[in-house]
Amino acid sequence: QLQASGGGLVQPGGSLRLSCVASGTTFSARNMGWFRQAPGKQRELVALVSSGGTTNYADSVKGRFTISRDARDNTKASVYLQMNNLKPEDTGVYYCNAGSQRLWSAGSYWGQGTQVTVSS
């Protein structure tokens, strides 16, 4: 139900935009967002956004990443992550997530992950 795209290889200081489309539901009244997992580390919250637009960001990405979402019809919703001024420590697999009711925890729905590599 969650299809993520937009990862890739970028140099430090560069930008990427991740997209995730949720099919079959708009996850109205539920949060959507992104988590990431670096090699050898646990999966961590990057950013979540509520249906009303309230956001929560990891301290490490505040001021550099921007999350947004939209619902274009009653059966599909999208969430985006604009990542600017990327750093090597942002490298990892980014997972789209949906369904949580709290802006600090993950929901039950996960996308397949998209690789982001920041390297010169």
Side-chain angles (χ1 to χ4, degrees):
Q1 284 188 329
L2 297 177
Q3 184 69 37
S5 61
L9 172 65
V10 64
Q11 292 185 342
S15 298
L16 284 174
R17 178 177 170 86
L18 305 183
S19 300
C20 176
V21 177
S23 299
T25 179
T26 60
F27 289 104
S28 60
R30 292 291 186 269
N31 303 324
M32 298 182 71
W34 299 89
F35 287 71
R36 67 186 179 189
Q37 188 166 18
K41 295 187 177 181
Q42 290 187 335
R43 193 173 298 188
E44 63 177 2
L45 168 70
V46 177
L48 286 171
V49 57
S50 72
S51 58
T54 303
T55 58
N56 182 35
Y57 293 94
D59 287 342
S60 60
V61 307
K62 285 180 180 177
R64 301 188 296 120
F65 291 11
T66 302
I67 190 170
S68 59
R69 66 185 284 178
D70 63 37
R72 300 188 179 186
D73 57 47
N74 290 332
T75 62
K76 190 176 294 184
S78 297
V79 62
Y80 308 97
L81 187 68
Q82 177 65 44
M83 304 185 294
N84 297 329
N85 190 22
L86 283 159
K87 303 177 180 181
E89 52 263 42
D90 294 318
T91 294
V93 179
Y94 283 67
Y95 295 92
C96 179
N97 178 262
S100 75
Q101 293 181 271
R102 296 176 176 83
L103 281 171
W104 57 86
S105 61
S108 300
Y109 299 88
W110 293 94
Q112 83 281 12
T114 184
Q115 177 70 44
V116 172
T117 303
V118 185
S119 174
S120 55

